[in-house]
Amino acid sequence: MQDATLKSITATVQNGVAKADGKFWITETDIHFAPYNKDYGLGPLKIERSSISKVEKCLGKGAGILPITSDAIEVSLLDGSTFQFIVSNPNELVVLLSK
């Protein structure tokens, strides 16, 4: 049985200068991201919520260096890796993912 979706939005995953728009959704156990254009190699992603060490707001960057928006979150994992997503209403997602 698949977990119920708690939240589903359009988001942009960011990895350095590479970006991809797609569908971002949260279930009780996982975070998912499915890019609309699969040719970029930036997904799909499935992050187990139990592997998250913290979620916080961050700056979305243009060209990987210039801050262009404060509507972004960074998901840090227990293994030290991080994922950044440009999203609408980042405060709501920080609260939801910090539960």
Side-chain angles (χ1 to χ4, degrees), residues 8-13 19-25 33-44:
S8 177
I9 59 172
T10 297
T12 302
V13 67
K19 291 182 179 181
D21 295 329
K23 181 181 174 186
F24 177 94
W25 71 101
F33 178 80
Y36 297 136
N37 183 341
K38 297 183 181 18
D39 295 338
Y40 291 141
L42 294 173

Side-chain angles (χ1 to χ4, degrees), residues 15-74:
N15 184 358
V17 297
K19 291 182 179 181
D21 295 329
K23 181 181 174 186
F24 177 94
W25 71 101
I26 301 167
T27 67
E28 287 288 341
T29 57
D30 302 297
I31 296 172
H32 300 266
F33 178 80
Y36 297 136
N37 183 341
K38 297 183 181 18
D39 295 338
Y40 291 141
L42 294 173
L45 298 171
K46 178 181 175 185
I47 302 167
E48 293 181 15
R49 290 181 64 183
S50 62
S51 70
I52 296 172
S53 61
K54 73 179 171 184
V55 178
E56 58 191 351
K57 282 185 66 174
C58 69
L59 295 174
K61 298 180 180 89
I65 53 171
L66 300 171
I68 57 170
T69 181
S70 60
D71 289 340
I73 61 170
E74 181 172 82

Side-chain angles (χ1 to χ4, degrees), residues 73-87:
I73 61 170
E74 181 172 82
V75 178
S76 300
L77 304 186
L78 296 171
D79 69 5
S81 58
T82 60
F83 297 90
Q84 293 184 341
F85 300 94
I86 298 172
V87 295

